[in-house]
Amino acid sequence: MIAHPARPDRRSILAGAAGLAALGAGMVAAPRGAMAKQAADLDRVEALIARMTIQEKAGQLNLLGDPFRFRPMNVNPLDGQGDPARITRMIRDGTVGNLFNGVGAEAGRRIQTIAVEESRLGIPLLFAADIIHGLKTVFPVPLAEAAAFDADLARRTARAAALEGAASGIHQTYGPMVDVARDQRWGRNVEGAGEDVWLNEVLAVARVQGFQGDKGLADRDALLATPKHFAAYSAAVAGMDYNTTDMSEATLRGVFLPPFRAAFDAGALSVMSAFNDLNGVPASGNPWLLTDILRDEWDFDGFVVSDYTAEQELIAHGFAADGRDAARIALLAGIDMSMMSGLFLEHIPDLVEKGDVPMARVDQAVRRVLMTKAALGLFDDPYRGCDPERERLVVGSREHRGLAREAGVKSIVLLKNEGVLPLNPSGQKVALIGPFGADVDNVFGPWTIWGDETRRVSLEAGFRAAMEGEGDLVVVKGSDVDAALPGGIEAAVLAAAQSDVVVLAIGEDSRMSGEAQSRTEIDIPAPQRALAEAVAATGKPVVVLLRNGRAMELSGAVKDADAILVTWFLGGEMGHAVADVVFGLASPSGRLPVSFPHRSGQQPFSYDHKVTGRPADNALASQEFVARYRETTNTALYPFGHGLTYGAVTYGEVALSEATLDWDGEVAVSVDLTNAGDREVVETVQLYIHDRVADLTQPGRRLRDFRKVTLAAGETKTVAFTLRRERLAYVDARGRPAVQPGAFHVWLTSSAQAGEPVILTLGPRAT
Ligand code: BGC
């Protein structure tokens, strides 16, 4: 767990009248004005609850798709089925309190007017949306951005997305996704920060801070963050989306929960429950997750929204008999707001009347929702963000586009480079070959609903803007993404033969990753591999530009290319960002947030796997009676943290200021970095540890810190980290930080598979 600054205790406030006794403690911690405002909000909310009918209460817990500002988006099963006339009636009679995935300031004002002026109690609507990696300005997909290993960048793009969302009349975003993703077959890796716990924590904090801003949720530019999907959704068996999850409590607490905890500590005030069954109890009907851990252990004081129809799906899970039963189970487990199914609205009145759900539980959920609306300032200004003039100014601004290009550049990872990159912007004939050369449909990537389609820079456009000689670029498609093109290979081979270098733009299209896009093999589709083989056979140097939303298995001519750049889905400025790196305007600086395995069959794979009782020696080609596959070692082809630059960075020996870390002491661990190359680079130094002997078996390596360091040509710098006991600790099976005295390996190195460790001893417990 990473340490975050203490926050005021708002739980006591959201707990309502019963929690008022505890209010005093919070009041001491928070600024007087803020606490006075919260106390006034609470009075207002309690007064409202006292006046609400049971239907109106259920309405505040009901979230439906926005049919007014609807645009076909193909992100959810029932998209487009909302009926504006029906929803208008529901807003008027107070039976829907929240709408999602409609965007736009002017229409937002019209819809909000119905709630505020035409409903009995005038409670404002909450508008939510899936603003995942930008709104009109599209930034790199979250997995790509994770490759930048840059919390500040993640904060800035989330801030920009929040500015655009908030100026478009949105109050809440369904992000960040903080599911640690270790099975690359699962399509939703693309939405998160990859396989590592620490990186997920760091970026969860940054993204929550970016979405919510630092001026409080009532600020006009704040978007309420909603970390998702709680919990263990990404650990679906065999990487199949929506599948069951089955894991030990130690793994759940040590790997999958910490990023959520970090997000809440950073102030996230809502959370989305997950679809999956967790150890036999579906997450959206799981009181242990949603109440015992979330509320009792963690003091979370916001509201829980179910994922899309997730509480209804308790029936299909075989956990609820019918809709009424599903609503009862979900509500009692701790779901406060029901997304899309309508089951809370339909059944809460009867459930309460028959005594199956106490009114106090309904009031608690309503209080959480209304207090969040109050925290967002909606009772003071229900029309926040409903200003078309501001929307025009903020949304898709030039500044945001510049940030998208910067983020794109920083997200690109150079896997290998045998002297071919960067290319010359002039005097070199380039054949840009593959389905993504001229393509604009696959630059945004999945989960882009409102992106500016007039601003999708293709690789071709980016290359043309960067290259000096008009005639130096030839662009040939060669193949479709998953089907051969008649004559495609012949045309590609001809173009390659007439050029000095081939740039192969191949990989996955946007639809191959994202929700419900699980794969059995994480390879490049066969027709594109055939294209790569044919082009490589010309003998021309080949640079691969990989388009991908997950780690991939690379083979044949792709694996053997002279250079490989992982370019993901980089958003609207993709072509420029890639050209900046390919033509050397910027040195690549991204690092893999997911390991690229040798084989698909190694999935699930993460560098921080346990060692086992029969560890394999990965240096040996074959070995009997150890934990390994027949076909490959247990390493990755390109491990987590790997990424090259256009410089030549070498690491000196890692030094410790003391060989023993006293129980309450600290030691410095440092290394000299030298850039022997001839241009400035950014190196990401990674600090890994391995706890040699612990009460819970530990991974072979675990990332515990990292730092980006700029090195001029020829420069040497010493990089030092401070280690304290807390940083050596792990999360035990009951969720507590734990550490035992003894030996630790410590690395300062360039990837999860590089470097030699030094040994640090944690001294005996202080008495
Ligand atoms: C996804 C969520 C998303 C929701 C609303 C669901 O299918 O799992 O991540 O926020 O739809 O669009």
Side-chain angles (χ1 to χ4, degrees), residues 76 100-101 130 174 188 228-229 272 275 307-308 339 447 515:
N76 296 123
F100 76 106
N101 278 351
D130 286 286
Y174 293 143
R188 300 194 76 172
K228 65 187 187 185
H229 307 81
M272 187 183 294
F275 287 127
D307 202 348
Y308 199 97
M339 187 193 295
W447 279 114
E515 186 169 344

Side-chain angles (χ1 to χ4, degrees), residues 588-605:
S589 60
R591 301 300 172 119
L592 288 180
V594 281
S595 301
F596 276 50
H598 294 278
R599 298 289 191 95
S600 293
Q602 287 175 271
Q603 299 300 308
F605 184 96

Side-chain angles (χ1 to χ4, degrees), residues 131-149:
I131 299 173
I132 308 298
H133 54 116
L135 187 84
K136 187 168 179 185
T137 309
V138 181
F139 298 103
V141 290
L143 183 65
E145 194 187 65
F149 275 63

